[in-house]
Amino acid sequence: MYVTALTFADLSTQPGFPVLLEEYGEECAIDSLPVNLDLNRIMSAYGALADAGMLHIFGAFVPPEPVLVGFLITLVGPLPKYDYTVAATESFFVASAHRSTGAGARLLHAAEACARDAGARGILASAPVGGPLSKVLPRSGYTLKDQVFYRSLA
């Protein structure tokens, strides 16, 4: 198992990405807020963030092929209310079949190192309520600071 930095174009062209993206879409869906996994739309949005130096993407791979089994997309930039640079996990997913391999921890460590190198004072990570990540983050040194609530306006 290894983790490496990628561009979104690199990530999206990995052979296992479509299957991984489908599983991710099922787990991260919010009622009445459909997941739009149109890669052209996503690449356009991420391209602007990458051009600004704010987007950092990591992929977890299992050799020997290698096979993509997880990804973490991190945004690093100023958080005006604190007047500091802070990182935030935008998308973080490890395929269910690979969650006991350490892939998630390695992805987190890579994102943390990147954020630290970019001058971030901390990293914010969100997780679905009751989901696997909500159990992993506290064991990885993350503390619950805020809760995010959602209300449909549609």
Side-chain angles (χ1 to χ4, degrees), residues 92-125:
F92 184 9
F93 187 73
V94 175
S96 58
H98 295 275
R99 290 189 180 151
S100 62
T101 64
R106 290 182 186 190
L107 286 165
L108 271 176
H109 293 313
E112 290 166 358
C114 174
R116 196 174 292 109
D117 291 347
R121 295 280 300 253
I123 186 166
L124 303 168

Side-chain angles (χ1 to χ4, degrees), residues 21-149:
L21 197 61
E22 185 176 324
E23 186 180 354
Y24 169 69
E26 290 171 6
E27 282 196 21
C28 76
I30 297 173
D31 294 339
S32 76
L33 188 63
V35 177
N36 182 346
L37 299 175
D38 176 331
L39 295 183
N40 291 325
R41 183 194 60 80
I42 294 170
M43 192 169 305
S44 174
Y46 283 163
L49 293 167
D51 290 346
M54 299 173 69
L55 181 73
H56 304 276
I57 300 174
F58 302 93
F61 294 88
V62 175
E65 289 84 17
V67 175
L68 177 71
V69 298
F71 59 88
L72 197 160
I73 300 173
T74 306
L75 303 175
V76 180
L79 197 57
K81 72 178 179 180
Y82 295 118
D83 195 27
Y84 293 108
T85 295
V86 176
T89 61
E90 194 273 335
S91 295
F92 184 9
F93 187 73
V94 175
S96 58
H98 295 275
R99 290 189 180 151
S100 62
T101 64
R106 290 182 186 190
L107 286 165
L108 271 176
H109 293 313
E112 290 166 358
C114 174
R116 196 174 292 109
D117 291 347
R121 295 280 300 253
I123 186 166
L124 303 168
S126 63
V129 174
L133 188 55
S134 69
K135 296 169 184 70
V136 170
L137 289 171
R139 293 193 312 253
S140 299
Y142 287 73
T143 56
L144 182 61
K145 294 294 181 190
D146 292 312
Q147 292 181 323
V148 176
F149 295 86

